[in-house]
Amino acid sequence: LRLFSGSANVPLAQEVARYLGIDLGPMVRKRFADGELYVQIQESIRGCDVYLIQPTCGPVNDRLMELLIMIDACRRASARQITAVIPYYGYARADRKTAGRESITAKLVANLITEAGAGRILAMDLHSAQIQGYFDIPFDHVYGSPVLLDYLASKQLTDIVVVSPDVGGVARARAFAKKLGDAPLAIIDKRRQAHNVAEVMNLIGDVSGKTAVLVDDMIDTAGTISEGARLLRREGARQVYACATHAVFSPPAIERLSSGVLEEVIVTNTIPVLEENRFKQLTVLSVA
Ligand code: R5P
């Protein structure tokens, strides 16, 4: 077994390597003057079972291209099996056509990864589970929820209501609610006017006097979570926690999340959280 890390999340890959009791494999990554990437695996991997860890987080095009080049390098070096470990699968939100003449980027990325030579995929909390079906190779879809739930349980919160910030996240929120002692569920009816602009419309369920736990797969600009939290406070929630696997944190996420409307923001390290993006209410849990 050989484990290599792309440049997207080296600390996570190092942690995984520590758990496995092995070192990360040696790999050179360079950038040419025109911006092209160069990757070379620096040991023989002929006949090996190779795992490549690379979330395709921002800058997403670079991270994705680096992953493709790593896979291609391993295939051409006669690795027996190549598993792409993609803790955060970028381009996942365009998983179907919602208007004419759009691309389905989640499928396009699946084609690229397969064509490059990956034989197996391990991904975490895909934006939609059906993305697994865009691949015709074995696919392990794992979840950040055990880590998030263990942490929430350790806080011994009372009077919890689990809240889905949109209709698409109900199944995820229901699974959380079940694990949190069959907590009640509430749903925010969110309507979007434009990409990355969330507009909260309506709350289905009762949060009055309760501890609301908002659950989402990712926090990007934090519009969804912060507007959701405001609505929950207006509806009488005592305190609001936010939980998400992927801390995408595009501006102005940090300002929105640290504004005080949220008691705590709990995320995982599928995407590295930069030191300057850490704020008082933030907890980052490891999925290594
Ligand atoms: C949307 O369907 C996703 O599950 C997230 O709610 C969304 O991508 C979060 O984006 P933002 O933080 O920019 O509102």
Side-chain angles (χ1 to χ4, degrees), residues 14-165:
Q14 283 168 336
E15 234 186 292
V16 172
R18 271 201 300 280
Y19 274 110
L20 292 171
I22 60 176
D23 289 325
L24 286 177
M27 192 185 96
V28 160
R29 176 187 176 279
K30 284 194 259 188
R31 193 179 282 280
F32 292 102
D34 65 354
E36 287 180 1
L37 288 170
Y38 169 86
V39 165
Q40 187 192 25
I41 306 292
Q42 295 211 293
E43 66 183 5
S44 170
I45 50 168
R46 188 175 294 275
C48 291
D49 199 2
V50 173
Y51 289 76
L52 307 173
I53 301 188
Q54 174 84 330
T56 49
C57 49
V60 57
N61 298 339
D62 265 12
R63 303 309 194 196
L64 175 61
M65 197 62 210
E66 186 184 351
L67 174 65
L68 297 174
I69 295 172
M70 287 164 67
I71 296 170
D72 186 60
C74 292
R75 181 168 60 101
R76 292 175 192 280
S78 305
R80 183 171 54 81
Q81 164 93 325
I82 302 165
T83 301
V85 180
I86 311 171
Y88 170 73
Y89 187 102
Y91 279 119
R93 280 172 281 186
D95 57 0
R96 64 193 184 286
K97 283 178 74 168
T98 55
R101 301 172 298 281
E102 284 182 345
S103 166
I104 303 177
T105 56
K107 171 63 178 151
L108 173 64
V109 166
N111 290 349
L112 292 170
I113 291 171
T114 308
E115 186 58 32
R120 181 173 204 105
I121 309 291
L122 191 153
M124 291 198 71
D125 282 292
L126 290 165
H127 179 62
S128 51
Q130 64 265 28
I131 291 171
Q132 294 165 85
Y134 298 175
F135 290 84
D136 287 323
I137 52 178
F139 195 116
D140 293 299
H141 184 202
V142 298
Y143 300 94
S145 51
V147 171
L148 296 166
L149 282 162
D150 273 358
Y151 177 78
L152 278 174
S154 75
K155 296 189 76 73
Q156 302 193 308
L157 303 172
T158 52
D159 276 335
I160 292 179
V161 54
V162 176
V163 185
S164 174

Side-chain angles (χ1 to χ4, degrees), residues 168-225:
V170 172
R172 181 182 305 115
R174 192 180 293 128
F176 257 73
K178 191 156 178 262
K179 294 266 168 55
L180 289 170
D182 269 327
L185 189 67
I187 300 162
I188 294 174
D189 175 30
K190 177 181 82 169
R191 306 271 160 89
R192 258 190 206 291
Q193 289 180 315
H195 292 304
N196 287 132
V197 179
E199 189 188 346
V200 171
M201 302 293 288
N202 219 340
L203 177 71
I204 305 163
D206 178 23
V207 298
S208 176
K210 295 189 193 294
T211 298
V213 180
L214 272 162
V215 178
D216 210 346
D217 58 333
M218 67 176 87
I219 301 175
D220 188 356
T221 63
T224 304
I225 287 291

